[in-house]
Amino acid sequence: QVQLVESGGGLVQPGGSLRLSCATSGLDLDDYAIGWFRQAPGKEREGVSCIRRSENLKYYGDSVKGRFTVSADTEKDTIYLQMDRLRPDDTAVYFCAAAWALGSSWKRLDKYNYWGQGTQVTVSS
C-alpha cells in the first residue's frame, strides 16, 4: 500500500524559511517521480516542483525558481522541499504526489497516481 505523508508546514513571516517533508512508503523512489503541488483558497492546484531521483532531474515552477529546492533522501524514503524567501502569495496547502509514468508533463495532475493529505503553509506577518 502506497502512502505519502506531508509534514513541516506552519506559520512563517515573509522572508522566512520552511522545510516540508514527504515521507513515502510502499514505493521505490527510483521508479516514481515525486511532485510538490499547492492549492490556495479559491485557486486551482498548481505544480511547484518535481524530482525524478533516478534520472537526477528536478523541475520548478516559475514562481518558485531560485527560492525553493527539492531533494531526496533515499535511505529515509523521504522527499524534501526547502522553501526560502517565502512570500505571502506562497500561502497554500502543499501536497506531494507520486507518478509512475510521468513523461515530460510534470505539472499535470492526472499524471500522478498517489497523493498525500497536504500540509498548510501560511506566510504572514
Side-chain angles (χ1 to χ4, degrees):
Q1 182 181 2
V2 175
Q3 284 190 318
L4 305 171
V5 180
E6 303 94 336
S7 61
L11 174 63
V12 63
Q13 291 187 342
S17 298
L18 281 176
R19 189 178 77 160
L20 303 184
S21 299
C22 174
T24 72
S25 60
L27 59 79
D28 188 334
L29 289 179
D30 282 338
D31 296 332
Y32 284 81
I34 304 295
W36 283 100
F37 293 80
R38 66 186 182 187
Q39 188 165 18
K43 294 189 176 181
E44 294 185 352
R45 195 169 295 190
E46 65 169 348
V48 174
S49 182
C50 178
I51 183 168
R52 298 170 69 161
R53 201 208 65 81
S54 61
E55 299 163 85
N56 199 28
L57 291 174
K58 299 179 181 180
Y59 307 95
Y60 297 96
D62 289 342
S63 62
V64 306
K65 280 180 184 175
R67 300 188 299 123
F68 290 11
T69 304
V70 66
S71 63
D73 184 335
T74 52
E75 290 188 3
K76 296 182 178 180
D77 292 329
T78 299
I79 303 295
Y80 300 101
L81 184 68
Q82 177 67 41
M83 306 187 296
D84 298 318
R85 290 184 282 146
L86 283 161
R87 310 184 306 216
D89 61 355
D90 293 318
T91 295
V93 178
Y94 283 70
F95 301 87
C96 62
W100 169 259
L102 188 60
S104 60
S105 305
W106 72 270
K107 292 184 180 181
R108 282 183 53 177
L109 304 182
D110 62 347
K111 290 287 188 177
Y112 290 82
N113 308 98
Y114 305 98
W115 290 82
Q117 82 290 348
T119 185
Q120 176 70 46
V121 171
T122 302
V123 184
S124 175
S125 55

